[in-house]
Each structure stands twice: as structure tokens, then as C-alpha cells.
Amino acid sequence: MNFKLQVTDSKSRARAGNITTDHGEIETPIFMPVGTVGSVKGVHFNDLKKDIEAQIILGNTYHLYLRPGLDIIEKAGGLHKFNGWDRPILTDSGGYQVFSLSGNRKLTEEGAVFSSHIDGSKHLFTPENVVDIQRIIGADIIMAFDECAPGDADHHYAKNSMELTHRWLKRGITQFDHTENKYGHTQTFFPIVQGAGFRDLRIQSAEYIASFNRDGNAIGGLSVGEPAEVMYEMTEVVTSILPEDKPRYLMGVGTPVNILESIALGVDMFDCVMPTRNGRNGMLFTSRGIMNMRNEKWKDDFSPLDPEGTSFVDYHYTKAYLRHLFVAKEMLAAQIGSLHNLSFYLWLVKEARKHIIAGDFSSWKDKMVKQLSVRL
RNA sequence: GUGAUUGUAGCUCAGUUGGUUAGAGCGCCGGAUUGUGGUUCCGGAGGUCGCCGGUUCGAGACCGGUCUUUCACC
């Protein structure tokens, strides 16, 4: 994997760059649709490629490991062959899931013992086997196994958690560097900065992570319940330390506004369930603001979904029709909502990139931020 | 026609021996959702308790009448 920094904005830390992988190029800043179990919920790869123009998607170690299981994925020849997606894939390590989904889990120095949300069976994730699993999945970008501390963690907890994540990181890197690419294409490994909402810990963690000089670096443990200002402050602290010439990935973020603000702070990659989860449930993000498609006010609004949208669904379907589909709980409603939101998110980061290159990112961003939070 | 039976929120129902502003689930109307368990959470609106009369300090509950639902029998 290779990252080429193209342009850095003069008035902010925003950057435009290109990531090259064996599965193709990624133009940054980029948003990565979440495809937990190897599929972006409700969206065909055809639409994902041609309509949404997704350049890279996410998969989840935790989910794929539990179902269908590594034997099937390996037999299929990796996730790319299994699901037919021939562009880059990044896999989350499962650190977040182990902590967010599993009722009973036990943390030890060795790793995390957790029970499956599917059948309750017990499993162990370690920094090493999580690398092996992602090798088998065939991810282009493999994430380190980390502990994601809760948003309200105190300093003591956050410090221990960060230190454990650092020790795990060392083991993960050793494992990664001593194992081979599984299916012929190059795989790369991203470490993750932790430190919760504490400046000193974030600095310490960012410096530690930077010292490994990997192909890219991630910022974890944000957007987990802390106020947005804290998130921005921590992001700013971290991006000022992480190497300039490597992509920075802010995990799990966020709203359209969060994304623009974080781009301005020097973040290059994002992923979030928000466009798909909220889209599935009737919340649509547009360049003019947010629409709750379940609202009664749309019932006889026969104008196009989003006249300024770039997706087929934006001009083909009306607001009234989509509201009807949501109220009737039709599957198609969830599909249209997801398709629209993803296409909007991809449009947003593409537009940001254009303005970074054109040199007017900051003023464009300020204007957009105002529009994006309007409730329609 | 006779004898039973039913009637409480848009729907399905709960409401102790009569006791403050009559409840629930669903639906409806809003809001939330940030490295996804096709969701989940949180608010809100909505009822002349079929109708008329009576008993009582007090009736959704008791009594009479009337209409209504369902059933059985002639």
C-alpha cells in the first residue's frame, strides 16, 4: 500500500491524497461504507460501485469470524472472492464489537474472552489471532486489536486501557510482520491511537503509534458518547503528531458535520454506520439538511427525494412515495434510504476533496456545516 | 320471538368487595441512534367508559329501560 499526499489546504489541516492498493486506488478524504458481514446492508455491489461510487468498504472480523466462519471464507478464496467486491476492503479488528456487543467478556493480558451474540459460545481474540483472521479474510487493510474505552472513562481506566492497547499493538505488529499475504495481494496493518478524552494520553499514544511508522494510522475510541468538542480536540491533538505522509483514519465517525470538521483537522479516512443504519430507519442526510422520512409532512410532497442528489434514487423517487414505503415498513424503503445516504456521504467527501484541491475548502466547509444541520 | 352474552383510546383488551386527574400493548405523532444484533431507546397526542334514567356523599363497576355484539333454542 502506498499513500501520496497531493495537496494540503493553506487555511486548515485538510489534505487530499491517493492511496494505492492491489485492489485499486482510493482518493482521500474518503468515506468507507460499513459492510459488517461482508455486505453493505440492503445495497447491491452494482449500486455501491456505479451509483454510490464507493472506493473501499469495511468488513468486521468479529462478525465474519462467527459467521460464516473462517473455513468458508478461506475455501471461497477470501472475502473479495466470496462477496464479489474487487475493490479494497478494510477489516475492523473486532476490538470494538467485543466491547460493544458481548454481554459477558473478560479482558486479560492475553486477549479478550467473549461470548458470541449468535449462540453464546465462548471465543478468545488475541492481538495475534486477530491478525491471522484478517489475513484469512483477505483484507487490504488490517486493523490492530485494541481496547476501546468508554466515552466517560476516567483517567486511571483510560491510561491502563491505552497501555494494554500499546502492548497488544507490539504483539500484533510482530505477528503481522512474521506472516505472509494470503491471496497474492498486499495486506497492510494500521495501529490505533487510544487515550479516551485525555490530552496527555492522546499525545502519548499518538507518539507511540507514530514511532512504528506503519503505512497508515487510526484514531480510535472517539464518538463513543463524549461531546463533539472533545472529539475534535482529541483529533486535533493526534493529527498534529501522526506522520504527515501517512493516511489517518478516524474510526466510527460520524455525522456529515463531524466528517467535514475532521477533514479540516487532517483526517483522511472515515467509516460510520450512520448513513446505513439511519437511512434504513428513515433519516436522510442531504446537502440542504436532514429529513426524517417518517414525518407526516412528506405524505403529499411529490417532489423528488433530493433534487441536488447524485443518486438514481434521488430523482427517481418522491418524498411522498418514500414516506409511504417507510410507514408500510417495505424493504425497499431501507434500500432507498441507505442508497441515498451512502451516495450523499461519498458525494460529500468527493466535494471536500475538490475544494481542497481548488484551495477554497475552509469557506466551503463553513457554508456546508451550516446547511447540513438544518432540519427539513 | 325466548334465554344467555358483549359494549372502556384508532385496534385488542385490563380495570380488585363502588373511592382522587380511567390504564397497558399495538397503531398514530415527534425525537434519539457515530470502528451495525434488519434495530433499539425516549417523549407526546388520543377516551362524554354504547345511550337514557335511577340508587349513593361518590358509579366504568350496582338497579331499570333502551340500542348493540355474539351464541343457543323455538
Side-chain angles (χ1 to χ4, degrees):
Chain A
M1 197 205 90
N2 179 38
F3 178 66
K4 195 178 245 173
L5 192 57
Q6 261 188 16
V7 184
T8 303
D9 186 44
S10 54
K11 291 179 188 149
S12 73
R13 289 238 202 73
R15 313 115 56 83
N18 288 63
I19 297 172
T20 309
T21 75
D22 287 352
H23 282 105
E25 192 134 314
I26 302 162
E27 298 185 319
T28 65
I30 190 67
F31 178 80
M32 309 181 280
V34 176
T36 310
V37 298
S39 103
V40 176
K41 288 187 196 300
V43 181
H44 271 294
F45 284 141
N46 198 33
D47 289 332
L48 207 52
K49 273 182 151 177
K50 294 178 183 159
D51 195 277
I52 295 167
E53 297 184 4
Q55 300 181 39
I56 170 172
I57 63 170
L58 239 82
N60 270 91
T61 299
Y62 171 88
H63 295 274
L64 291 166
Y65 159 83
L66 289 178
R67 193 164 55 191
L70 299 179
D71 49 339
I72 299 295
I73 291 179
E74 191 165 17
K75 222 181 216 175
L79 186 57
H80 286 92
K81 286 262 167 54
F82 189 45
N83 70 8
W85 178 255
D86 56 7
R87 294 180 185 173
I89 294 176
L90 177 151
T91 42
D92 186 20
S93 64
Y96 187 82
Q97 279 66 40
V98 167
F99 302 106
S100 72
L101 297 181
S102 294
N104 48 359
R105 77 216 175 208
K106 219 173 96 191
L107 260 190
T108 63
E109 188 61 36
E110 168 70 4
V113 177
F114 62 95
S115 55
S116 158
H117 69 280
I118 298 166
D119 61 7
S121 54
K122 289 231 185 310
H123 303 267
L124 171 69
F125 271 177
T126 67
E128 291 86 4
N129 75 11
V130 157
V131 165
D132 296 341
I133 293 169
Q134 293 178 89
R135 286 274 197 206
I136 291 170
I137 291 172
D140 296 270
I141 301 174
I142 287 174
M143 299 305 300
F145 191 56
D146 64 337
E147 184 195 358
C148 181
D152 57 356
D154 60 38
H155 193 275
H156 179 74
Y157 185 97
K159 186 168 189 287
N160 286 335
S161 168
M162 179 196 76
E163 286 168 354
L164 177 65
T165 294
H166 289 176
R167 291 193 299 274
W168 281 359
L169 172 60
K170 212 157 184 185
R171 287 165 53 190
I173 285 178
T174 303
Q175 181 70 10
F176 181 84
D177 289 345
H178 287 83
T179 49
E180 298 291 315
N181 299 328
K182 183 89 183 158
Y183 307 104
H185 63 270
T186 305
Q187 299 182 287
T188 192
F189 180 97
F190 281 20
I192 305 173
V193 174
Q194 285 292 344
F198 302 99
R199 220 183 159 83
D200 60 325
L201 298 182
R202 287 285 172 182
I203 291 170
Q204 198 186 328
S205 187
E207 283 171 349
Y208 185 72
I209 266 65
S211 73
F212 289 94
N213 199 33
R214 303 305 297 196
D215 290 341
N217 300 291
I219 308 167
L222 292 177
S223 66
V224 287
E226 80 284 2
E229 305 78 63
V230 174
M231 180 175 99
Y232 295 141
E233 192 195 331
M234 295 303 116
T235 301
E236 187 168 21
V237 167
V238 171
T239 54
S240 68
I241 296 168
L242 293 179
E244 281 284 317
D245 61 344
K246 299 287 156 63
R248 301 155 180 161
Y249 163 30
L250 180 53
M251 305 182 79
V253 173
T255 66
V257 170
N258 290 161
I259 288 176
L260 290 190
E261 295 294 3
S262 303
I263 288 174
L265 297 174
V267 175
D268 308 294
M269 303 164 72
F270 300 89
D271 81 282
C272 189
V273 302
M274 195 169 270
T276 37
R277 177 187 287 162
N278 290 24
R280 242 191 344 270
N281 293 300
M283 188 174 182
L284 266 60
F285 300 97
T286 77
S287 55
R288 291 299 175 91
I290 297 166
M291 294 193 285
N292 181 347
M293 292 317 297
R294 304 186 65 94
N295 287 3
E296 193 169 29
K297 63 184 161 198
W298 308 120
K299 72 177 173 191
D300 57 354
D301 185 333
F302 303 106
S303 63
L305 253 197
D306 180 4
E308 288 158 344
T310 54
S311 169
F312 166 77
V313 300
D314 291 328
Y315 49 88
H316 187 265
Y317 296 106
T318 66
K319 298 180 179 82
Y321 180 62
L322 185 56
R323 167 178 145 89
H324 157 68
L325 294 180
F326 271 113
V327 170
K329 299 190 197 307
E330 275 294 311
M331 280 192 287
L332 184 58
Q335 293 181 294
I336 294 172
S338 304
L339 200 47
H340 162 83
N341 276 351
L342 284 179
S343 125
F344 172 69
Y345 266 62
L346 267 296
W347 172 84
L348 189 68
V349 292
K350 200 176 197 176
E351 220 36 38
R353 178 182 162 89
K354 267 194 214 164
H355 286 281
I356 293 167
I357 293 170
D360 64 346
F361 173 76
S362 289
S363 57
W364 172 81
K365 186 213 79 177
D366 291 343
K367 189 188 82 187
M368 284 306 289
V369 162
K370 279 186 198 126
Q371 289 182 26
L372 293 173
S373 16
V374 171
R375 299 217 143 250
L376 298 176

